[in-house]
Amino acid sequence: MTTADPPRYTGDAAPYQGGDPYADYRTPGPDGFPFSHLPDLAARRLGAGVLAANDEFFAERENLLTPGPAHFDPEAFGHKGKIMDGWETRRRGTGNDWVRYRLTERSVIRAVEIDTGCLKGNSAGWAALSGRDGERGDWTELLPRTRLQPDTVHRFLTADAPPVTHVRIDIFPDGGIARLRLHGSLTADGMRRLAARHDELSG
C-alpha cells in the first residue's frame, strides 16, 4: 500500500474456500467498520435510485441497491444465460463501464462498500467512485481507481469528501459488482429538504 492508497479494510482477498464469503471481512479489527452505523445513502427505501448505466447486458443495474447480500442461484437462467444477483456488463475491448445514482438527498459520504458478492471469474477488476453536487455540478473523485477482488466485500473510508447529490461508479474494464453501499450523513440543507418532502407526502 502506498501513501496515496485509500484505507482498506479487506486486505488482499485469498481464493474463496467455501463457506461464508463475508466471514473474514465484516469485522476488521476489534471495532469493526467504523461507519457501518451510518445510513446507506444509496438505499431505495430512503429515496435514492439508479439513474443510468452504459451497459447492463448480463445483469441489471437495479440489483446494486437490493437489500442484503447477493445470492448465487445455480438454477437461475434467462434468455441471456446465467442470471446473476448484481450488475454485470458484456466484455469490451476499450474503455470502461459505469452506473450513475441519485442519493437520498445532499449528503457527505463517509465510507464506501463495494461488494463483488457471488461474482468470481466475472467480477470487475478495478473500480472508482466520483460524486457531484447537483445535476450540473462537476464530478469530483471520492475513491480513486482501486483494485477489487472477486467474491469479496471491500470497504473504504472517503477522507474529506465534499457534499454530493449524485454518485457515479466506474468499473474497469468491464464485468460486474453485486452491491454498492454509501454510508454517510445528510447535510443540514439536505435534511431540511428531506423533512419537507416527508411532510408533504404525509399530508
Side-chain angles (χ1 to χ4, degrees):
M1 174 182 284
T2 68
T3 56
D5 290 331
R8 295 193 59 172
Y9 285 83
T10 59
D12 294 327
Y16 182 57
Q17 299 295 319
D20 181 3
Y22 289 81
D24 295 334
Y25 310 110
R26 294 194 72 81
T27 55
D31 299 322
F33 193 53
F35 289 99
S36 59
H37 64 285
L38 293 174
D40 175 14
L41 302 167
R44 286 194 197 94
R45 64 184 178 82
L46 299 180
V50 182
L51 296 178
N54 73 313
D55 188 291
E56 47 186 339
F57 186 81
F58 289 111
E60 298 177 358
R61 65 198 187 198
E62 294 290 340
N63 292 332
L64 291 171
L65 303 189
T66 303
H71 296 283
F72 178 77
D73 182 351
E75 298 181 357
F77 286 86
H79 67 282
K80 295 180 181 178
K82 185 73 190 73
I83 296 176
M84 299 300 293
D85 185 10
W87 166 56
E88 186 183 358
T89 67
R90 75 191 83 196
R91 304 305 170 250
R92 57 166 57 245
T94 58
N96 72 285
D97 295 317
W98 53 265
V99 177
R100 284 195 294 117
Y101 297 83
R102 179 194 68 252
L103 299 182
T104 302
E105 247 301 344
R106 191 168 188 256
S107 313
V108 176
I109 296 172
R110 307 291 185 183
V112 177
E113 181 177 299
I114 303 173
D115 181 3
T116 52
C118 53
L119 299 163
K120 298 177 183 178
N122 52 344
S123 67
W126 303 78
L129 193 76
S130 55
R132 68 182 182 187
D133 192 4
E135 290 281 1
R136 302 182 184 278
D138 295 329
W139 290 104
T140 300
E141 181 181 86
L142 302 177
L143 179 72
R145 180 168 165 165
T146 303
R147 179 71 176 166
L148 301 180
Q149 301 288 340
D151 197 23
T152 300
V153 182
H154 308 77
R155 295 188 173 105
F156 310 95
L157 303 183
T158 52
D160 302 319
V164 296
T165 58
H166 295 73
V167 165
R168 167 176 166 151
I169 185 166
D170 287 78
I171 60 171
F172 305 88
D174 51 39
I177 57 177
R179 300 287 188 268
L180 178 69
R181 313 292 187 208
L182 303 171
H183 297 284
S185 54
L186 296 174
T187 62
D189 58 325
M191 192 173 297
R192 284 193 297 270
R193 285 194 294 269
L194 186 62
R197 288 207 305 271
H198 181 271
D199 291 342
E200 181 180 356
L201 292 172
S202 299

